[in-house]
Amino acid sequence: MVGRDLEAVLADQAAPWVRRAGTAVCIELQLLVPLAAPAVVVYMLISVMSIATQMFCGHLGNRELAASSLGNNGIQVFAYGLMLGMGSAVETLCGQAYGAEKYEMLGVYLQRSTVLLMATGVPLAVIYAFSKPILILLGQSSDIAEAASVFVYGLIPQIFAYAANFPIQKFLQAQSIVAPSAYILAATFVLHLLVSWLVVFKLGLGLFGASMVLSLSWVVLVGAQFVYIVKSPRCRLTWTGFTWQAFSGLPEFLKLSVASAVMLCLETWYFQILILMAGLLENPQLALDSLTVCTSIVGWVFMISVGFNAAASVRVGNELGAGNPKSAAFSAATVTTFSSIISTILAAIVLLLRDKISYIFTEGETVAHAVSDLCPLLATTLVLSGIQPVLSGVAVGCGWQALVAYINVGCYYFVGIPLGAILGFVCGFGIKGLWSGMIGGTVIQTLILLWITLRTDWNKEVEKAIKRLDKWEDKKRPLLSDNE
């Protein structure tokens, strides 16, 4: 109803533009804030839960800390990014179906995505099982690789928890149900801390025990969210039980899921490559220390943008599915504006505290000077982090994942990385050159996404959403008739 009110306000040519804009912003914020705020909490708690596990392992010794860090930030990040990316297909379809009031299809999409992600989890589990030789092949010492592999073995159940969690999360987000996930995750986090302490320090189960507790926490998280879906009156129209329809139309669903995964993974790996390249500089320790401080700050601010990313995809998808082109365009503009304002304010704070900000992480003056020198690049990255992820969220809401994947390949890997390598190594600008070049790739990608969004014919996007939903709804009819 509120979405229809927004469309009516935007279409009312009789009212003054200022009054229409003010009313529309108030309506949009009523829809946006309950989505974005809990989403920020969810993604921050997910990050903190892994960090907490590393901290418990760190108290076992330096070897265990290195092993858990390698397992978490190396192998686990790959699986997390892949599963989260593939789950974004549900975000597009569920968001548009909910807006179109085709509520029963949300449950079908949820189950199709879960089946697909569970199947993807099998080869990932094989990779986890052979993590020791893989890590040795990548240049890690046999001692660290052996310890990391023990930690990774305990994360195998987490893969399949990912496979269920991300479709569930996107299913709930499409209905603007985000707060329950935040509450469940907060409770799970407290349980995670208590059980980790018991298993690691009292039972003495070490690395394997710590990682198994992390996997168990994810299983509890998935189970609690699923119970909420089954029991909550808010999901009675969208969840009607298990169905064989989940196994139909999987090849088409796979195409959208793969495009979503490629889009997200290319963005995730981009910054990881910057860190790897920094390790090749003449003074790698100082470069990595200063870059670690900066990337930690970027990571914290990025969690805010991730919340807006989720809100953007849901709002745009809902409005397109409901046949509200003006509301979809206004939602995209509003969420991008608010996210960019917040990130710009945070960037300004970073610049004002550039000489002191590194002391949050370390007391070394050399690192402090290096971080201060990098702060203009850090501030630029923060501003871009307030715009680019939101535009990616708009793309997911519209179903542009394949297009954005191609844009990411071109801008990141054919422009940003080569330009960074030239400036950093050939021109001798070091870490500043590496980072400047890769920022250049992000700027080009952001400008292209902004240009595409501004030139979008939202009426045509509504038509595409309707055709997409009709196509996917047709996938269930033959299977239903076979069972009848």
Side-chain angles (χ1 to χ4, degrees), residues 393-408:
V394 173
V396 170
C398 295
W400 299 339
Q401 286 95 324
L403 173 63
V404 176
Y406 287 122
I407 294 171
N408 286 355

Side-chain angles (χ1 to χ4, degrees), residues 449-466:
L449 287 181
L450 190 60
W451 180 77
I452 291 172
T453 304
L454 291 173
R455 289 180 58 86
T456 296
D457 186 332
W458 294 98
N459 290 302
K460 286 187 178 180
E461 290 302 320
V462 168
E463 293 174 6
K464 290 178 184 178
I466 293 171

Side-chain angles (χ1 to χ4, degrees), residues 192-383:
H192 175 75
L193 294 178
L194 293 173
V195 177
S196 293
W197 174 80
L198 177 65
V199 168
V200 173
F201 296 125
K202 296 300 179 182
L203 300 182
L205 296 182
L207 283 171
F208 183 75
S211 58
M212 276 299 296
V213 171
L214 184 58
S215 292
L216 175 63
S217 297
W218 272 89
V219 171
V220 170
L221 172 64
V222 169
Q225 288 181 109
F226 182 69
V227 169
Y228 176 85
I229 289 172
V230 173
K231 298 295 185 181
S232 174
R234 299 177 69 181
C235 299
R236 61 184 176 82
L237 297 177
T238 53
W239 176 262
T240 55
F242 292 102
T243 172
W244 288 107
Q245 297 163 26
F247 296 94
S248 67
L250 289 178
E252 292 86 353
F253 208 99
L254 177 62
K255 291 179 183 178
L256 184 59
S257 296
V258 169
S260 301
V262 170
M263 184 188 83
L264 186 70
C265 287
L266 289 176
E267 294 180 6
T268 303
W269 297 338
Y270 191 52
F271 235 93
Q272 298 301 318
I273 291 173
L274 171 60
I275 295 173
L276 291 174
M277 291 171 70
L280 303 175
L281 294 170
E282 290 184 4
N283 189 351
Q285 183 173 343
L286 179 61
L288 288 172
D289 285 347
S290 58
L291 193 59
T292 298
V293 172
C294 293
T295 53
S296 297
I297 295 169
V298 171
W300 292 345
V301 175
F302 188 72
M303 291 300 168
I304 299 173
S305 299
V306 166
F308 282 105
N309 170 286
S313 63
V314 172
R315 290 290 303 121
V316 171
N318 284 175
E319 297 297 350
L320 290 178
N324 298 329
K326 289 183 174 60
S327 297
F330 188 81
S331 295
T334 303
V335 68
T336 304
T337 300
F338 272 87
S339 180
S340 61
I341 289 172
I342 292 172
S343 62
T344 301
I345 292 172
L346 293 174
I349 293 172
V350 165
L351 286 175
L352 289 172
L353 300 176
R354 60 186 297 175
D355 295 324
K356 301 178 181 178
I357 200 163
S358 71
Y359 291 108
I360 300 173
F361 303 88
T362 179
E363 296 181 359
E365 289 188 12
T366 305
V367 175
H369 288 310
V371 170
S372 178
D373 200 33
L374 289 175
C375 266
L377 295 175
L378 172 58
T380 303
T381 301
L382 293 181
V383 172

